[in-house]
Amino acid sequence: MALNRQHGVTSDTYKKFYIDSGAVYKNYGESGELLLGATRGGNTFVIEQEIRDMPVDGARGKVVGGDRITNINAIITANFIEMSSVLMQLALPGSAVADYPVAPASKTHDSITRALDIALTDYATNIAIVGEVTGNDTVGGVVILSNGLSDGNFELGFTDKDESVLAITFGARFDPSDLDTEPWEIRHPVIA
């Protein structure tokens, strides 16, 4: 007796996978677009959301239409193995880069320091991960945080016989002139 198997596999299934780690950009698609560097250990995009059920007398549980979004936190975490002063400055909002030594010797390092002040220029227009999608050779999937700012800890580990990885957590910020539009976007490619 043949079993009537149920599944979701179609002839298009293998054209719709997001694969590999993708590339992380600052100001993707904007003036000053910058590929931030090679990563190891993958990258993640998370939309944390709080949806509040508004309970009412007489209802024995949740009711359609009785929910509202009370908090959104969109996050990209990227694990960089390729280091640069630009990346470190992005990981430390409010920091500045200067030549070291200043004078009279020739420069040997970039010196990264910080005062306790985050300027509006420290917010990236966006932070994006552009990933490969099977079945589409021309465009990938894109996840974008608007007004991105690194808001996690700065931790650079040094381990014998291994390479350092700098994990940066970028958080999106609402535009103060439009508090009703969530500060994230997903661009899913059209797959024929």
Side-chain angles (χ1 to χ4, degrees):
M1 173 181 196
L3 192 62
N4 185 11
R5 292 183 50 204
Q6 299 295 312
H7 57 79
V9 178
T10 70
S11 60
D12 290 333
T13 295
Y14 291 95
K15 297 178 186 176
K16 299 179 180 178
F17 292 178
Y18 281 61
I19 60 172
D20 299 328
S21 59
V24 183
Y25 289 87
K26 174 185 175 188
N27 299 334
Y28 178 73
E30 304 285 335
S31 174
E33 177 181 283
L34 177 65
L35 176 63
L36 292 178
T39 60
R40 177 194 284 171
N43 306 298
T44 60
F45 173 70
V46 177
I47 300 172
E48 296 174 347
Q49 55 188 356
E50 291 177 16
I51 298 178
R52 175 173 161 65
D53 168 46
M54 299 179 288
V56 295
D57 292 342
R60 301 290 182 240
K62 295 180 180 181
V63 178
V64 171
D67 302 290
R68 66 186 180 116
I69 299 169
T70 58
N71 193 37
I72 293 293
N73 189 24
I75 301 164
I76 284 178
T77 301
N79 299 295
F80 294 98
I81 190 168
E82 181 178 347
M83 303 295 162
S84 70
S85 296
V86 170
L87 184 64
M88 290 183 184
Q89 185 179 18
L90 190 60
L92 294 162
S95 62
V97 177
D99 291 348
Y100 178 86
V102 176
S106 54
K107 175 182 171 178
T108 60
H109 293 78
D110 286 330
S111 172
I112 303 165
T113 58
R114 177 169 66 181
L116 296 176
D117 187 32
I118 296 175
L120 292 178
T121 55
D122 290 323
Y123 296 86
T125 302
N126 67 53
I127 301 292
I129 300 174
V130 179
E132 185 178 346
V133 178
T134 58
N136 196 322
D137 296 333
T138 56
V139 295
V142 184
V143 294
I144 301 173
L145 301 181
S146 299
N147 307 307
L149 185 75
S150 170
D151 54 10
N153 292 333
F154 183 97
E155 183 177 342
L156 189 57
F158 297 86
T159 305
D160 193 29
K161 299 178 184 173
D162 202 358
E163 298 76 34
S164 296
V165 173
L166 177 60
I168 302 178
T169 300
F170 297 101
R173 301 295 192 270
F174 281 84
D175 183 330
S177 65
D178 182 7
L179 295 177
D180 293 324
T181 301
E182 294 182 16
W184 58 268
E185 179 182 0
I186 299 170
R187 295 181 188 165
H188 179 71
V190 176
I191 299 171

